[in-house]
Amino acid sequence: MIREEVVPVNRQVGLYAYDQVDRTFLRERIDQFRDQVARRVSGELTEDEFKPLRLMNGLYLQLHAYMLRVAVPYGTLASRQVRALARIAREFDRGYGHFTTRQNIQFNWIRLEDTPAALEVLAEADMHAIQTSGNCIRNVTSDEFAGAAADELLDPRVHAEILRQWSTLHPEFTFLPRKFKIAISGSPQDRVAARFHDIGLIARPGPDGRPLFEVFVGGGLGRTPIVGTKLRDDLPEEDLVAYLEAILRVYNEFGRRDNIYKARIKILVQALGAEDFRQRVDTEFSAMDRARYRLEPALVQAIRDRFGVPAFEPEGDAPALLAQARKKDRAFDAWVRTNTHPHRAPGYLSVVVSLKPAGGIPGDATAEQLDLLADLAERFSFGELRVTHLQNVVLGHVRQDRLYEVWQALSVAGLATANIGFITDIVACPGLDYCALANARAIPISQKLSSRFADLELQREIGALRINISGCINACGHHHAAHIGILGVDKRGEEAFQLTLGGSGEEDASIGQILGPAMSEDDTVDAVARLVDFYLVRRNGTERFLDTYRRIGTAAFKDVVYAPA
């Protein structure tokens, strides 16, 4: 149910403001789960009985301990929420958290008995772990530059919040055939990998000046990677909820429940065919009480009003002062070139904070770093932080004449690596170090690759090149969507790694092609180095790795890796 504002609330920039109804619901849910945990600890509940209950509260049982996955709706955090995450890392984990490819954060060493207390800390900051697991609609992800990007047509967080309210504890969609993931971009540039989601939404200009949505359905990775099918490119805002409900109804009715490997909506779309699936959705959509679902402009505005708006200062001489600072410090200049993004407000930029230092673990942030990020958000970005699906964080609104201060503070904390979009901006899942499903560790090979290419001059020479690593075929590291993908496999009882080339999660979405047999960890690192060397020799001008690969073809790159010396 989507609720308009009924009581005054304190608005936080970029964040939907909870009211007493929201907070009461969270408290009741925690009390319920506290009782369930006590019954499990006492033995009154078996693990099989407890499993669906804990999953509904974001608690997984992994290889060595429980893992708590915390929801970060559409990737936006207030500084007070970041501090709550730091507190959980200190008090209930081992001093750090791990940001994921769904804009969530995971704590990998949670004790079962401590979970209700950790959820209490979250609730105090208007956060929770509901629907971060299970066969339901998961966290709706969004563009990390939402509300700030110069090319934005609409702020997708407003519509992501509408979808969050619609999907939370939805009576029809709490027990779907399989988990379901939605992403929404407010810009025609796909910064959310929309074509690799169960439903992907991309805003585009409409004929009357009002944005429309392109709707992609049936995309996904895992053991059956598929680029989503475009169902339509003209969905108006007022029909957003109705049309998505029609899609979910078709999936809920016809999706397979007899085979977990064929239960995702991507399999249903492929089995029925795009036209048959589209017709079923249209039939359902036409039969619905559209007035009941219609997003009236007043309702959308009411949700928008629950988000605080930044009070931007006049541009003044901010650009000139930034230019002076860049001339004086080459390292700062390099960081500005790679780690900032154009802002819609004159005199401002968005800052991407890399969580990928040389030899580091992609996506990990210590409690101390989280506290620092909260401080920086308050000092420089209206108290707001964003999480990216590429495992970095963003300060959305930084005045250009204060960038140098931000960079200096990040440098002291080891958070100023100037590598966004480069070869060491690696995406990796936790792999066999934590996950019971994994075949191989993803962290050590990511660290070796990061160290191998640590030289920033070399990274700038290589240019845009994305490496993603998954510890198993479930593809939580999105290796299929990388220019160079690395998949951990079990090869006769030993960890090994298979290379894929040519993937992309952007407008030119494509699935990486398997290059050849799996190799050892060290051989894989050496193979990546040879691929990069070959690319540098064969590229045309400043051509990207992906474009060189597509122009030359797989065979030439395969020879570089597997041809006899």
Side-chain angles (χ1 to χ4, degrees), residues 416-555:
T417 307
N419 66 340
I420 298 302
F422 288 161
I423 191 170
T424 62
D425 186 11
I426 296 169
V427 170
C429 71
L432 194 57
D433 281 310
Y434 299 101
C435 183
L437 301 176
N439 295 313
R441 294 170 298 165
I443 292 173
I445 191 171
S446 71
Q447 292 175 299
K448 288 183 178 180
L449 284 165
S450 177
S451 297
R452 182 75 165 257
F453 294 98
D455 181 81
L456 287 174
E457 288 297 332
L458 174 60
Q459 293 188 55
R460 285 190 280 270
E461 172 65 17
I462 295 168
L465 200 166
R466 175 146 303 287
I467 294 179
N468 289 26
I469 307 171
S470 300
C472 76
I473 196 62
N474 288 307
C476 293
H478 297 181
H479 65 279
H480 295 109
H483 304 166
I484 299 177
I486 301 176
L487 169 64
V489 299
D490 183 316
K491 191 173 183 179
R492 295 184 294 275
E494 299 290 334
E495 294 179 47
F497 298 88
Q498 189 177 68
L499 289 171
T500 60
L501 295 183
S504 171
E506 300 179 3
E507 295 83 23
D508 58 349
S510 59
I511 296 165
Q513 300 301 303
I514 297 173
L515 200 60
M519 299 170 283
S520 70
E521 182 178 286
D522 288 338
D523 286 347
T524 303
V525 173
D526 290 338
V528 171
R530 293 198 300 275
L531 288 171
V532 171
D533 288 341
F534 178 69
Y535 151 68
L536 291 174
V537 171
R538 296 294 302 274
R539 70 180 175 184
N540 288 337
T542 58
E543 189 177 47
R544 296 181 305 166
F545 178 93
L546 180 61
D547 297 324
T548 301
Y549 168 78
R550 287 173 172 173
R551 176 172 56 82
I552 294 176
T554 305

Side-chain angles (χ1 to χ4, degrees), residues 131 134-138 166-167 170-182 198 244-245 247-253 255-257 263-265:
Q131 291 190 198
N135 294 338
C136 57
I137 299 173
R138 302 284 185 90
W166 160 73
S167 64
H170 193 297
E172 282 190 63
F173 307 142
T174 299
F175 299 100
L176 293 166
R178 197 72 173 87
K179 58 187 176 183
F180 202 92
K181 300 176 180 179
I182 301 172
D198 298 295
L244 264 61
E245 179 134 338
I247 293 173
L248 265 295
R249 286 183 181 182
V250 172
Y251 172 50
N252 210 19
E253 180 177 0
R256 295 186 58 172
R257 286 180 160 85
R264 296 293 292 269
I265 193 173

